[in-house]
Structures are given as C-alpha cells and as structure tokens.
Amino acid sequence: MFFSTLSLGLALMPFVSAAIIDIQVGASGLTYSPDAIGANVGDQVVFHFHAKNHTVTQSSFADPCGPLAGGLSSGFMPVAANQTDNLPTFTVTVKDTKPIWVYCAQGAGTAASHCGAGMVFAINCGQDGSPNSFTNFKASALAVGASLSAAAAAASSTAAPAASSTAAYAYTTAAAPAVTTAATTASTTVSAAGAVHTVVVGGTGILAFTPPFVAAAVQDTIVFEFHQKNHTVTQSSFADPCSPLSANGTVGFDSGFMPVGVNSTGPFPTWNYTVTATTPVWAFCRQSTPSSHCGAGMVFAVNPVQTSAKNFTAFQNVAEALNGTALAAQAPAATTTAVSGASAVRIGSASVTLLIAALIGSLL
Ligand SMILES: *[C@@H]1O[C@H](CO)[C@@H](O)[C@H](O)[C@H]1NC(C)=O
Ligand SMILES: *[C@@H]1O[C@H](CO)[C@@H](O)[C@H](O)[C@H]1NC(C)=O
Ligand SMILES: *[C@@H]1O[C@H](CO)[C@@H](O)[C@H](O)[C@H]1NC(C)=O
Ligand SMILES: *[C@@H]1O[C@H](CO)[C@@H](O)[C@H](O)[C@H]1NC(C)=O
Ligand SMILES: *[C@@H]1O[C@H](CO)[C@@H](O)[C@H](O)[C@H]1NC(C)=O
Ligand SMILES: *[C@@H]1O[C@H](CO)[C@@H](O)[C@H](O)[C@H]1NC(C)=O
Ligand SMILES: *[C@@H]1O[C@H](CO)[C@@H](O)[C@H](O)[C@H]1NC(C)=O
Ligand SMILES: *[C@@H]1O[C@H](CO)[C@@H](O)[C@H](O)[C@H]1NC(C)=O
C-alpha cells in the first residue's frame, strides 16, 4: 500500500525535493529508530545521538558488526544521561539506491557489543522475505552477539571463575540460550572463521542431499560435494521449493550443473556456500532430465525451524506434492549469484511521513 501511495505521488509530481529523514540513536535502549528506511538519491539521513555513547558505522551484509573498508563512520558520540536537547547529529547523504548497512561499534568484539545485541540499521535493504532483508541482517548481527557471548562464557569458565570478571561478562547469562539456536547439530564450535559442514549431493541411486539439512552459524561454510549423476544446489523458497528464488532483481544462489561420471571414485567437484544468517535457507536440485529431482524430494535446507510448521519434512512434502511442475515452467536460473543489490526496499513509516510531507510541501 505504501508502494502504491508513493509511486502515485511520484508519478504526479514532476520532481520532489530531497527528504530529510531523522533517525533516533539509542532513544530507547540499543536501537536505531526507525531501524530500516527507504531513501532516494539526494535524501539526507540525520542521526540524532541520545544518552550513552553510540556510533553510526557502515558495515556489510556479510559482516554486520565489522567496519566496511572505506565506509562511513560517525565516531563515538558520548552524550550525558541528563542531556535531552541539542543532541549531536551525524548526517548521511544518500548517493545511490544500493543498500547501506550500519551498526553501533560500541563494545565491538566483546560480549557487550551493541551490534551483537541487535543495534543495526539499514537504508534501501531488500524487502522482507528476500535474502538481504533487514530481518536477515539483524539475525546475522544477533548471531555475532551470541558467538561473542559464548566465547566470553567459555573464557570465564576456563579462566579464574572468581571475583573480578563479573563486569566484563555482564551479558553472558542473558545471551547464553541463543547459542543453542545458532548451532545444534554438526558443529558446536562458534569461531570467527566458522565451521565447515560437508553435504554429499546425489550418489549412485541416491536422489538426495546427505544430510538433508544442517544447523549452521553465520560465517559457517557448507561444502557441497557432488557425487554421481548431474545435480545442482539452487536456492528456492519454502512456498515454492522447486523454483529458483528470484524476486525483484534479487537472485538466489545456484551452483550450476555438476556432472559426475557413474564410475567416478573422486575427487568430486565441490561448491561452497557461506552462511550469512541464522534464518532458514531453502534449496533444491534443478535437474529435470529425465524427471524432476526436486519432485522426487531432492531438497535441502539450512537452519529450518524443526519445531515449527515450516520444518524440513513440510518443505520436502511441498516439493513432492508439486512433483517438479513449477520447475518445468521455469527457465533455468542465472549462474552463481549469492545476494545481489536490492531493488525493492522496506519503507519505514517515518520516511513515508517525511516523503509525504515533502510532497505536500512542494504543493504549497
Ligand atoms: C565512548 O566509547 C569509546 C569506545 O568504547 C571510549 O573509547 C570513549 O572513552 C567513550 N567516551 C566516553 C566519554 O565515555
Ligand atoms: C548534567 O549533569 C552535570 C553534573 O551532574 C552538570 O554539570 C550539567 O550541567 C548537567 N547538564 C544539564 C544539561 O543539565
Ligand atoms: C516486487 O516488487 C513489486 C513492487 O515493486 C511488488 O508488488 C511485488 O510484490 C514484488 N515481488 C516480490 C516477489 O517480492
Ligand atoms: C547436465 O544436465 C544439464 C541439464 O539437464 C544438461 O544441460 C547437461 O548437458 C548435463 N551435463 C552432462 C555432462 O550430462
Ligand atoms: C563403469 O564400469 C562398468 C563396470 O566396470 C563398465 O561396464 C562401464 O562401461 C563403466 N562406465 C563408464 C562410463 O566408464
Ligand atoms: C570449499 O571449502 C573447503 C573448506 O574450507 C575448501 O577446502 C575448498 O577448497 C572449498 N572449495 C571451493 C570450490 O572453494
Ligand atoms: C513438521 O511438518 C510436518 C509435515 O507438514 C507436520 O506434520 C509436523 O507437525 C511438523 N512438525 C512440527 C513440530 O510442527
Ligand atoms: C510425478 O510425475 C511423473 C511424470 O513426470 C509421474 O510419472 C508420477 O506419477 C508423478 N508423481 C506424483 C506423485 O504425482
């Protein structure tokens, strides 16, 4: 609805003056408010720093809590608890419509990381449901926080368990349960480099990924090792398991076909996928000759929520019920593209208000 309101407005107006979009930093806890906005080229995003000591630092989707080389940064903005007006600001002028990912660098690399507690922000990110959505970005940041807390908890339990460490590890008790959701099966170590999960694709008489799903943390690598026949691993969606994910310019990943001779004993070709979020990722084999592999249940998932209705079995059931019919209607996807730039944006309500204000302003 917002989209149609906006595009109608933009269609009627020959030009719209650049908007000023205000973002409150730390006004209520560790937050940017609003936390995700759509902005046009020329718009100015003004960050207002509230009490405490936050930053606006540019990162990347792949590494939400690390500075982007050459990216923008406000530096630390300490504000006294009793200061409520004349707040310091930092202004970003939007130069293009590519996503801009932002985090607070306070406590970086420690269990007290503001970013790890979810203090992240985005301009022109992907729509909800697309790989580079704000939801996925924030989930990655929270996963970073969980691993930092886990590392701090491990350090505090092996080091002197006595007095002085309480302040440094103040966040460990709160964040500890998150670790179990980040890594439950194959890997238990959560390190900066990430764990490696090997998945065998196909094999003589086997139309399956083995194992069919993995629980993986952000930065883990999934090594797909292709065995007999001629398979792919191609990203899809829960709703449409046998169609390549492709929405508004955001294309899912695709290994391409990996033919392996019937008598091959290896080495087998591999294709790697680096996990960027703890939210579920769905995939399938798009071989349809002589019959649909997906329709035969050859599907795969990263981090399916097994305790929910959207579990792996449910996903596979949808694939088998479709029997590859959706696939047959689809042209093969483009080759390996992990996450491309977003053309769709999530529009925060504040920016909508401002854009509408700008439209009204230019009518007067
Ligand atoms: C703000 O935070 C930074 C990084 O933790 C620190 O170096 C600086 O001293 C802090 N400033 C104030 C005034 O607390
Ligand atoms: C804030 O508190 C400090 C000392 O507690 C005081 O010096 C300063 O004037 C106060 N500032 C405001 C804006 O009230
Ligand atoms: C693509 O964007 C249009 C509006 O630009 C929207 O109506 C449509 O639902 C989007 N499609 C998907 C699959 O997100
Ligand atoms: C693998 O399968 C694809 C799609 O069916 C086909 O185009 C390609 O020729 C196959 N490659 C080999 C070596 O069989
Ligand atoms: C595979 O091995 C079998 C038995 O050794 C042989 O008959 C067949 O020709 C081999 N196929 C290929 C493609 O090498
Ligand atoms: C995939 O990752 C593994 C483990 O990190 C590495 O040994 C292998 O060379 C990688 N393969 C490709 C094709 O990058
Ligand atoms: C998993 O999916 C299956 C098939 O849809 C369903 O029967 C089952 O109840 C689901 N499990 C949970 C825990 O929701
Ligand atoms: C799936 O399609 C094939 C033909 O492509 C057909 O032989 C088979 O019976 C179908 N299976 C189901 C479960 O509909």
Coordinates of all heavy atoms in Angstrom, one line a residue, residues 225-226 260 264-269:
E225 N 29.5 -31.5 -1.9 CA 30.3 -32.4 -2.7 C 29.5 -33.2 -3.6 O 28.6 -34.0 -3.2 CB 31.1 -33.3 -1.7 CG 32.2 -34.1 -2.3 CD 32.9 -35.0 -1.3 OE1 33.7 -34.4 -0.5 OE2 32.6 -36.2 -1.2
F226 N 29.6 -33.0 -4.9 CA 28.7 -33.6 -5.9 C 29.2 -35.0 -6.3 O 30.3 -35.2 -6.8 CB 28.6 -32.7 -7.1 CG 27.9 -31.4 -6.8 CD1 28.5 -30.3 -6.2 CD2 26.5 -31.3 -7.1 CE1 27.8 -29.2 -6.0 CE2 25.8 -30.2 -6.8 CZ 26.5 -29.1 -6.2
V260 N 28.9 -35.8 -12.8 CA 29.9 -36.7 -12.3 C 29.7 -38.1 -12.9 O 28.5 -38.6 -12.9 CB 29.8 -36.8 -10.7 CG1 30.8 -37.8 -10.2 CG2 30.2 -35.4 -10.2
S264 N 32.9 -42.8 -11.3 CA 33.9 -41.9 -10.6 C 34.0 -42.3 -9.2 O 33.1 -42.6 -8.5 CB 33.4 -40.4 -10.7 OG 34.2 -39.6 -10.0
T265 N 35.3 -42.3 -8.8 CA 35.6 -42.5 -7.3 C 36.2 -41.3 -6.7 O 36.8 -41.3 -5.7 CB 36.5 -43.7 -7.2 OG1 37.7 -43.4 -8.0 CG2 35.9 -45.0 -7.6
G266 N 36.1 -40.2 -7.4 CA 36.6 -38.9 -6.9 C 38.0 -38.6 -7.5 O 38.5 -39.4 -8.2
P267 N 38.5 -37.4 -7.2 CA 37.9 -36.4 -6.3 C 36.6 -35.8 -7.0 O 36.6 -35.7 -8.2 CB 39.0 -35.3 -6.2 CG 39.9 -35.5 -7.4 CD 39.8 -37.0 -7.7
F268 N 35.7 -35.5 -6.1 CA 34.4 -35.0 -6.6 C 34.4 -33.5 -6.6 O 35.0 -32.8 -5.7 CB 33.3 -35.5 -5.6 CG 33.2 -37.0 -5.7 CD1 33.6 -37.8 -4.6 CD2 32.6 -37.6 -6.7 CE1 33.5 -39.1 -4.6 CE2 32.5 -39.0 -6.8 CZ 32.9 -39.8 -5.7
P269 N 33.7 -32.8 -7.5 CA 33.7 -31.4 -7.5 C 32.9 -30.9 -6.3 O 32.0 -31.5 -5.8 CB 32.9 -31.1 -8.8 CG 32.2 -32.3 -9.2 CD 32.9 -33.4 -8.6

